[in-house]
Amino acid sequence: MDTLELSDAIQRALCLRCSTLEISSAFLDENEAVPATGRHIISLGKQSQTSTCDMCRFFLELSPTYKRNHKLHVRLFDHIKSAFEGQDFSRTRFLSVLRENSRLNYNFSIQDEIVQSGVVVHLPTNNSASPTSPVHLINTAAVDFGLVNSLLGHCQKSHGLCTQVKDRYSLPYIYLIDCIEGKVVRENPSQSYLALSYVWGQSSTQGGSHADFKDNSAWDSFSFNKTPLTVQDAIRVVRNLGKRYLWVDRYCIKQKDGPEKKTMIGNMDEIYENAEATIVAMYGENDSAGLPGVSSIPRTPQPRLQTAHGCLVSSCPPLATVIRTSKWATRGWTYQEARLSRRCLFFTTHQVYIVCREATVSEAVPSESQVSWISSLLNSSRLDARLFGPKTSIPTGFCEDRFVYSQRTLTHDSDILDAFRGILSHSSFITIWGVPITHLRAAMDPYTGFALGLLWTRIPWWDRPIHLASTKEPPRLRRVDFPTWSWTSVTGTIFNEQHGEKSLLARYLAADHSVSGQNDAHLRIWVHIGSKPVPLHDVMKQYPPILPEDSPRLLVQGDIIQVKPTPGKKSGRGQAYRVVGDEHSSLVFWANFDLDQDIAADATQDEEQENRVEDALLLLQWNDCFTKKPRSRFVMMLLRWVDGGTAERRGLLGEYRISYNAEKLK
């Protein structure tokens, strides 16, 4: 078909509106500058509509996933107006599909929307394979292992952070699959190898816990032909990259040797961190899904649309988008496997993404973030918590890792701590039952630190996405055998508030020991070591960084304040409480209950129940608001007495982000 015939065929497949659109001129006309907030190109109508027009369908399929059925439009950018002055990269024009709103600022504030489904570039017909283009064409049939190997090599040579490990070779030996000989061998842990992170799923002969391996998958019965397709494809990846060894949990942990098995499972963080790279199987819901583009599993074609003067090509979505819609991202054990790796190869239905501690690259966008605006938008991720979870106001570090991990599920609730121990051992905090106490680098008061560590809550309404669709959280339930004061005792997302970089809480998280003496609440804690209660500060001297978990019970000395619900005082924030004897004061403390059943109970209580008196333990009372009228932060733990002198945590009263009149608090 010659150029004229091709042009006629393209025009016949377009609606009247799109047929009059000179899409190539928007990219090629350098005389007309693109505004900092982009330029409106064409309206598409509502997200839910269907169309017979090739171009309309092309763009509608690349729209973000919104909560509401917005009107959409195509917008042209060559950069994004940033909050940071002076940030500028090489500019290449690109299109993005966005909601249409005349009052909306199309800048960095909606960056997640701009890139959620990827961006679109225009490749001229005579230059469709240009290596200088920020977006490359992907081979749908097979992974470009030459490119993947080259990108891995660049990381190994250029990224200092990716060569650092916490514990190098503390294991005496390691079992690995020899991908050339097709057998499991015992090797020195300094041997170069790749690791595999994958979802077992229902097709597996195993359950869902690393403690559940069956004897029929024992290390000495390995056979390539009998392994699931995902493992077979991972072996093929190792060979295609010119490597030899692969670590896979079920084949490289000796099942019949109890002590050895326990040691290996307890050091899985070291195994993944010391791997040259981790192969992450993002596709499918079980171990028979395979790796797209490796053997028999095809890849989803890269979205493209032929125009009269070239081709519109999608970059494919950024990795964060793919992760959040995958089965892999719902499983608890897989979080630390990838999070603690130095490099990961994410095999998805679109392409392979290579992510390390310093950069992200992919087959479609192989340049690092500082090269162009497109790569800065799509490849800004690193192997940290922000890659694996939704955007949040939580500060980076331990709290953010816990926030992301807590959104995942476990086949066995008893694994909630074990599947997070690698993160705990790499944390900068001393912890007990997963609760941070004090920073390892700071000589801080442990009781103030412990009180701050207890400020975990369910995710508040104001930290949820406003426009983009998000997963509805399942009911929050109690986990047995875990202390109610620890976040491990409840299912669902665990949130921790910071309230600004200069707040005392933020300074505590940053290891500023000067905050130690600023808590006016009297709180003392004893931890049970064996059957004997030992002061917390003595235990911390003997057992850092993870304190013994001999008993879920604590012996607590502190101030108990009697409170009761305020009749009729409810809102989207929950149930209001006032201090007994101060019912007519303006001081109101809002309850943030840990469990849904407590929210339901308070929502249906009658007037007689609303007059009940409850006890709350004072955790924090301090002043970090320097105004003419002194104001204090005041947080309590709402208690439920279960037997004798034993109480359980029910939730928190008061929010760290709210300050109260200090005189009234007295």
Side-chain angles (χ1 to χ4, degrees):
M1 183 181 292
D2 61 28
T3 304
L4 182 59
E5 289 175 324
L6 176 63
S7 178
D8 288 343
I10 291 171
Q11 289 297 104
R12 287 195 296 271
L14 301 181
C15 64
L16 179 62
R17 178 181 52 187
C18 291
S19 64
T20 60
L21 181 65
E22 288 290 338
I23 197 75
S24 59
S25 65
F27 286 93
L28 302 176
D29 186 2
E30 299 292 344
N31 294 323
E32 188 174 358
V34 180
T37 55
R39 183 196 306 151
H40 183 288
I41 297 298
I42 190 171
S43 296
L44 297 173
K46 292 208 169 181
Q47 188 173 7
S48 61
Q49 74 180 38
T50 58
S51 175
T52 58
C53 169
D54 286 352
M55 186 173 291
C56 287
R57 286 203 311 270
F58 173 78
F59 284 122
L60 286 170
E61 289 172 1
L62 294 176
S63 69
T65 305
Y66 288 114
K67 290 181 178 179
R68 298 174 57 189
N69 188 21
H70 290 287
K71 288 184 177 180
L72 302 174
H73 77 293
V74 178
R75 199 168 191 86
L76 177 72
F77 297 92
D78 66 0
H79 71 291
I80 301 295
K81 187 176 181 180
S82 172
F84 306 101
E85 293 295 331
Q87 186 182 49
D88 205 0
F89 307 106
S90 172
R91 297 190 183 188
T92 301
R93 298 187 177 192
F94 61 91
L95 299 172
S96 182
V97 181
L98 296 164
R99 54 194 166 102
E100 198 164 5
N101 189 330
S102 60
R103 295 172 296 176
L104 184 64
N105 289 320
Y106 294 95
N107 56 22
F108 68 92
S109 64
I110 62 162
Q111 180 174 320
D112 288 349
E113 297 179 43
I114 293 173
V115 302
Q116 190 193 67
S117 297
V119 301
V120 175
V121 300
H122 183 264
L123 299 181
T125 303
N126 61 354
N127 197 28
S128 59
S130 171
T132 60
S133 172
V135 177
H136 290 203
L137 298 179
I138 298 172
N139 181 354
T140 301
V143 171
D144 185 346
F145 283 105
L147 175 63
V148 172
N149 222 353
S150 173
L151 295 172
L152 277 176
H154 174 74
C155 170
Q156 292 168 329
K157 293 176 183 177
S158 306
H159 297 162
L161 283 178
C162 302
T163 63
Q164 300 174 13
V165 295
K166 178 178 180 286
D167 296 308
R168 186 180 289 276
Y169 318 138
S170 65
L171 287 170
Y173 54 84
I174 188 172
Y175 293 104
L176 299 168
I177 298 173
D178 186 327
C179 299
I180 305 299
E181 298 290 335
K183 62 182 180 180
V184 176
V185 296
R186 176 166 159 165
E187 284 286 340
N188 189 298
S190 63
Q191 178 64 260
S192 176
Y193 63 93
L194 275 69
L196 176 65
S197 176
Y198 63 112
V199 175
W200 291 356
Q202 295 301 315
S203 75
S204 174
T205 55
Q206 279 72 39
S209 166
H210 285 285
D212 282 347
F213 298 113
K214 305 296 183 184
D215 288 341
N216 64 345
S217 293
W219 72 284
D220 55 356
S221 62
F222 176 81
S223 169
F224 176 85
N225 292 329
K226 293 181 180 179
T227 61
L229 182 58
T230 296
V231 178
Q232 290 183 8
D233 280 353
I235 291 172
R236 293 184 176 103
V237 169
V238 173
R239 293 171 182 166
N240 284 322
L241 292 175
K243 313 297 181 182
R244 181 160 191 159
Y245 296 105
L246 174 69
W247 189 90
V248 182
D249 49 15
R250 73 177 60 170
Y251 302 108
C252 300
I253 295 180
K254 204 171 179 178
Q255 305 308 310
K256 296 179 181 179
D257 189 331
E260 180 184 87
K261 176 180 174 181
K262 184 177 181 180
T263 299
M264 292 295 178
I265 292 176
N267 287 276
M268 287 182 66
D269 58 321
E270 177 184 333
I271 291 171
Y272 279 97
E273 186 177 28
N274 280 292
E276 186 176 343
T278 295
I279 299 167
V280 180
M282 294 283 295
Y283 172 74
E285 299 193 356
N286 55 54
D287 55 13
S288 296
L291 303 178
V294 175
S295 61
S296 60
I297 306 301
R299 304 205 281 188
T300 301
Q302 183 180 19
R304 304 177 193 177
L305 178 69
Q306 190 68 43
T307 68
H309 302 286
C311 184
L312 294 176
V313 180
S314 168
S315 64
C316 295
L319 178 58
T321 298
V322 184
I323 286 177
R324 286 162 204 166
T325 57
S326 69
K327 181 71 173 179
W328 178 89
T330 69
R331 307 307 297 160
W333 281 96
T334 61
Y335 180 71
Q336 65 178 9
E337 292 170 3
R339 174 69 177 84
L340 298 178
S341 297
R342 292 180 290 157
R343 306 172 192 91
C344 284
L345 308 178
F346 291 89
F347 282 77
T348 76
T349 186
H350 304 283
Q351 59 174 328
V352 176
Y353 301 82
I354 300 97
V355 188
C356 65
R357 293 173 177 173
E358 293 193 25
T360 291
V361 288
S362 68
E363 291 179 84
V365 186
S367 57
E368 294 185 8
S369 60
Q370 66 273 21
V371 174
S372 69
W373 271 102
I374 289 178
S375 61
S376 74
L377 292 169
L378 295 170
N379 290 348
S380 60
S381 300
R382 309 288 183 270
L383 279 177
D384 56 28
R386 284 166 290 185
L387 172 64
F388 302 105
K391 193 173 182 180
T392 176
S393 61
I394 291 179
T396 58
F398 174 87
C399 294
E400 191 173 31
D401 276 312
R402 181 179 59 183
F403 172 76
V404 177
Y405 169 72
S406 63
Q407 297 175 51
R408 299 188 171 209
T409 58
L410 294 156
T411 301
H412 303 291
D413 276 344
S414 57
D415 288 343
I416 185 65
L417 263 180
D418 288 339
F420 196 64
R421 288 205 187 277
I423 302 294
L424 293 177
S425 67
H426 283 69
S427 167
S428 55
F429 283 89
I430 297 173
T431 64
I432 181 170
W433 288 95
V435 174
I437 304 174
T438 62
H439 204 287
L440 287 166
R441 300 198 317 266
M444 299 177 66
D445 171 46
Y447 304 108
T448 297
F450 191 80
L452 288 164
L454 296 175
L455 294 187
W456 58 268
T457 66
R458 62 196 299 133
I459 187 169
W461 62 269
W462 46 263
D463 201 67
R464 298 180 185 274
I466 298 175
H467 297 287
L468 292 175
S470 58
T471 305
K472 185 177 180 181
E473 191 164 284
R476 294 174 71 94
L477 305 172
R478 179 72 70 195
R479 289 191 181 98
V480 298
D481 300 326
F482 292 93
T484 59
W485 46 267
S486 168
W487 58 271
T488 59
S489 68
V490 296
T491 62
T493 306
I494 300 299
F495 185 84
N496 231 107
E497 196 163 19
Q498 178 184 8
H499 193 64
E501 295 180 356
K502 296 182 180 180
S503 70
L504 292 183
L505 178 54
R507 288 160 54 194
Y508 154 74
L509 294 174
D512 183 350
H513 63 85
S514 66
V515 306
S516 293
Q518 300 188 44
N519 187 13
D520 292 330
H522 174 79
L523 189 68
R524 293 293 179 268
I525 305 291
W526 287 260
V527 177
H528 286 84
I529 304 298
S531 59
K532 181 182 178 181
V534 181
L536 178 61
H537 66 271
D538 290 340
V539 179
M540 290 173 61
K541 293 175 183 177
Q542 301 176 48
Y543 299 101
I546 300 178
L547 304 188
E549 295 152 1
D550 295 355
S551 170
R553 296 195 175 199
L554 300 173
L555 182 61
V556 181
Q557 184 184 77
D559 297 322
I560 296 291
I561 298 174
Q562 290 192 318
V563 296
K564 66 180 182 179
T566 302
K569 190 76 172 179
K570 296 177 184 176
S571 72
R573 295 167 61 184
Q575 173 67 55
Y577 281 76
R578 284 194 170 95
V579 175
V580 172
D582 196 35
E583 290 88 348
H584 301 293
S585 167
S586 59
L587 285 176
V588 174
F589 304 97
W590 296 95
N592 193 326
F593 294 113
D594 296 338
L595 302 178
D596 289 345
Q597 65 186 38
D598 284 330
I599 295 176
D602 265 54
T604 58
Q605 64 189 358
D606 55 30
E607 187 172 343
E608 181 178 345
Q609 287 175 308
E610 286 184 332
N611 288 326
R612 72 186 186 277
V613 174
E614 300 181 45
D615 288 334
L617 173 67
L618 180 59
L619 296 178
L620 292 172
Q621 182 179 0
W622 65 20
N623 176 26
D624 66 351
C625 306
F626 304 101
T627 59
K628 291 182 179 179
K629 293 183 178 180
R631 300 185 66 83
S632 294
R633 306 200 186 279
F634 195 82
V635 184
M636 299 172 279
M637 180 191 293
L638 192 61
L639 304 176
R640 176 190 289 112
W641 296 97
V642 290
D643 65 80
T646 303
E648 292 182 342
R649 167 175 163 148
R650 194 173 172 221
L652 294 181
L653 282 182
E655 298 179 28
Y656 185 81
R657 68 201 297 256
I658 297 176
S659 61
Y660 302 88
N661 186 300
E663 291 300 318
K664 290 184 178 180
L665 283 177
K666 290 182 180 180

